[in-house]
Amino acid sequence: MSTDAVSTSSPHAHITIHRSHTLPPTAPLSSQVGGHAGVQTTEDGSLLLKPALSRELAFYQLVRDGISSDIGGATAAASGLKPLLPWIPKFLGVLSIGNHLVDVSPETMATHGLPAVPPANGTATTIVLENLTYGFHKPCILDVKLGTILYDEDAPPEKKERMIRTAANTTSLSTGVRLTGFQVYANDLPDPVLTPKKYGKTIKPEHLPDGIARFFPFRDPASSTTAPPSFPLSSNDITTPDNIQPGLPLPSLFVLLTHLLEALERLRAALAEAEVRIVGGSILIIYEGDWARAEKASFEENDDDDECENEDEEDDPRLFRLSLIDFAHTRLVPGQGPDTGVLLGIDTLIRLIRERRDVVQPLINKV
C-alpha cells in the first residue's frame, strides 16, 4: 500500500493527506435515467465520479462542512442548509490533477488513487459521490425534475426564453415536477423496463398519476398479473417486450409508499427552511425491485422510522432511498425564503404518492 503524501490548503488548516488505497477502474453509469452524460462509476459500483461546475462543488461543501472556499459559515448557516444533509448524496471530495481523491474534511483526510474522468463541457472539476443505487439488487429509479423555473439567473436571454417555453409546455410550470425518466424491474428478469425522457416531456398534468402508476406498478404473485396504467404510449416510448410485467407484490408496495410519503414530508420540512434556489435539481427515488429483498426490507422498515438517516449494514436490503441531486445551478439567497417552485413540486409529488397508496390499500385484502 502506497503512502504518498499530498499537501493541500483549506479554510480550516494546512493538512497533509495520505493515499490510502487504489480503487478499481471506472465505467459509464449504466443506471442513469436523467441528467447529463459523463457520469462514471467505480467498478465495484460504490462511488460516482461526476464532472461538476464550481457552484455544485461549493454546494456540497457548504451542506456537509458549513463552509466552502468562497462562502463563509455565517452565510451558509443563515441559508438553513444543514437540514438538507441527510437528503443529498454523500460527498467524498474531488479528483486532483494527480488523480487522487482529495478531501480536507476533518472526518476523512485521505486521498485514494482514482482514474481520471475527462472533463465535460469545459468543466475542470470532478466530484466523487456515493452511488445511491449501491446495494440494491434491482434498483427501480425515478428522476423527478423539480421547480417551475428551469433557467439560471445568469443564463443568456435565448436560453431563458427556451426554458420558459419548456416549463409552460410540460408539467413543470403548473405542478413543479417533470418525470424525466425511469426504470422498473420485473422480479424474474435481469433487465429493467426503461421509460425515456421523451415520456415526461410529452405528458400533461392530468397524466402524472399514470406516470406514477407506471413507476409503482403492482403484481399479484398468485396470478402473475400487473395493473397497467391507463395512459397509452407509443411503441417507441418504452423499451420492453410485451411479456415483461414489472411490479412489487401489493403488501411490499404499500409499505414502500407509506414510508416514502413520510420521507417526502420530512424532506419538505427541510426544504422549507432552506433559503436557496434549486434550478435544474431533481428528486431521485430508488426502490428495491427484488421481491425477496423488498419483503425483508419492508418488515425492517416498519421497525425503523429513520430509514433515510440510519446507516444500514452493507448486506442488509434497503427498501428505498429518497435524495436531492443535481446542484449545478443552485444558489444561496439568505433572507429571501425557500424556493416556492420546488416546494410546489414536493407537494405535487406527495399528492401523487398518496393517491397511488390509496389505490393500493383496498386491494391488499383481496390478494
Side-chain angles (χ1 to χ4, degrees):
M1 180 183 300
S2 174
T3 57
D4 297 346
V6 179
S7 295
T8 185
S9 61
S10 79
H12 304 286
H14 184 81
I15 301 173
T16 299
I17 307 178
H18 297 274
R19 183 195 305 175
S20 60
H21 63 275
T22 300
L23 293 183
T26 63
L29 178 62
S30 61
S31 60
Q32 187 172 359
V33 298
H36 298 288
V39 179
Q40 303 231 343
T41 180
T42 50
E43 192 175 65
D44 67 353
S46 63
L47 299 179
L48 293 184
L49 283 68
K50 177 186 177 184
L53 299 172
S54 59
R55 190 184 294 182
E56 184 163 24
L57 169 60
F59 181 79
Y60 276 108
Q61 290 175 319
L62 285 168
V63 175
R64 190 192 66 177
D65 303 330
I67 194 169
S68 74
S69 59
D70 54 357
I71 299 178
T75 301
S79 299
L81 296 182
K82 203 64 177 178
L84 296 179
L85 183 59
W87 306 104
I88 69 171
K90 185 178 295 182
F91 168 65
L92 286 87
V94 301
L95 289 189
S96 70
I97 295 176
N99 296 335
H100 306 305
L101 171 60
V102 178
D103 182 5
V104 295
S105 73
E107 296 178 356
T108 306
M109 294 188 183
T111 61
H112 305 275
L114 285 170
V117 175
N121 300 324
T123 302
T125 301
T126 297
I127 60 175
V128 182
L129 307 169
E130 66 169 325
N131 183 356
L132 296 170
T133 66
Y134 185 66
F136 289 91
H137 284 198
K138 292 180 180 289
C140 303
I141 307 170
L142 170 63
D143 184 309
V144 183
K145 189 68 66 178
L146 286 175
T148 57
I149 298 176
L150 307 181
Y151 58 86
D152 205 347
E153 61 177 2
D154 54 2
E158 59 272 17
K159 182 172 183 179
K160 289 184 179 180
E161 293 176 5
R162 186 172 71 251
M163 292 295 98
I164 289 172
R165 289 196 301 270
T166 298
N169 293 333
T170 63
T171 57
S172 292
L173 184 62
S174 59
T175 70
V177 298
R178 188 174 81 236
L179 309 182
T180 60
F182 50 94
Q183 68 176 39
V184 185
Y185 276 88
N187 182 61
D188 51 353
L189 292 170
D191 298 319
V193 177
L194 302 176
T195 300
K197 295 179 182 180
K198 176 185 175 182
Y199 170 73
K201 289 183 176 180
T202 55
I203 64 173
K204 302 302 181 184
E206 59 267 26
H207 300 135
L208 283 172
D210 296 287
I212 293 299
R214 189 173 295 280
F215 181 62
F216 294 107
F218 55 81
R219 288 280 297 275
D220 179 353
S223 62
S224 297
T225 60
T226 187
S230 59
F231 179 65
L233 297 176
S234 72
S235 59
N236 295 326
D237 285 331
I238 295 183
T239 57
T240 176
D242 292 338
N243 61 340
I244 296 181
Q245 296 180 325
L248 287 176
L250 282 165
S252 295
L253 181 59
F254 180 75
V255 173
L256 165 64
L257 294 172
T258 298
H259 286 277
L260 179 57
L261 271 174
E262 295 170 356
L264 281 166
E265 294 282 4
R266 297 198 302 272
L267 173 56
R268 191 200 188 282
L271 284 167
E273 298 297 321
E275 296 187 320
V276 295
R277 298 295 177 263
I278 304 176
V279 176
S282 293
I283 276 185
L284 196 70
I285 300 174
I286 307 166
Y287 71 86
E288 180 61 75
D290 179 274
W291 285 10
R293 290 178 66 83
E295 181 180 18
K296 181 180 179 183
S298 296
F299 285 117
E300 295 174 353
E301 200 70 35
N302 283 328
D303 295 329
D304 183 4
D305 291 332
D306 297 321
E307 187 271 344
C308 285
E309 299 173 8
N310 287 349
E311 293 291 333
D312 291 342
E313 294 295 330
E314 183 173 328
D315 294 332
D316 287 345
R318 182 193 287 266
L319 183 58
F320 77 98
R321 293 200 71 169
L322 174 69
S323 299
L324 285 173
I325 61 170
D326 296 338
F327 306 108
H329 304 287
T330 296
R331 56 190 174 88
L332 276 60
V333 288
Q336 298 183 35
D339 190 322
T340 56
V342 166
L343 291 181
L344 172 63
I346 296 286
D347 290 338
T348 298
L349 196 52
I350 288 173
R351 173 179 58 80
L352 291 168
I353 299 299
R354 182 176 291 114
E355 290 174 353
R356 185 59 177 162
R357 187 186 65 170
D358 291 344
V359 170
V360 170
Q361 186 170 16
L363 298 175
I364 294 178
N365 293 332
K366 298 180 181 180
V367 176

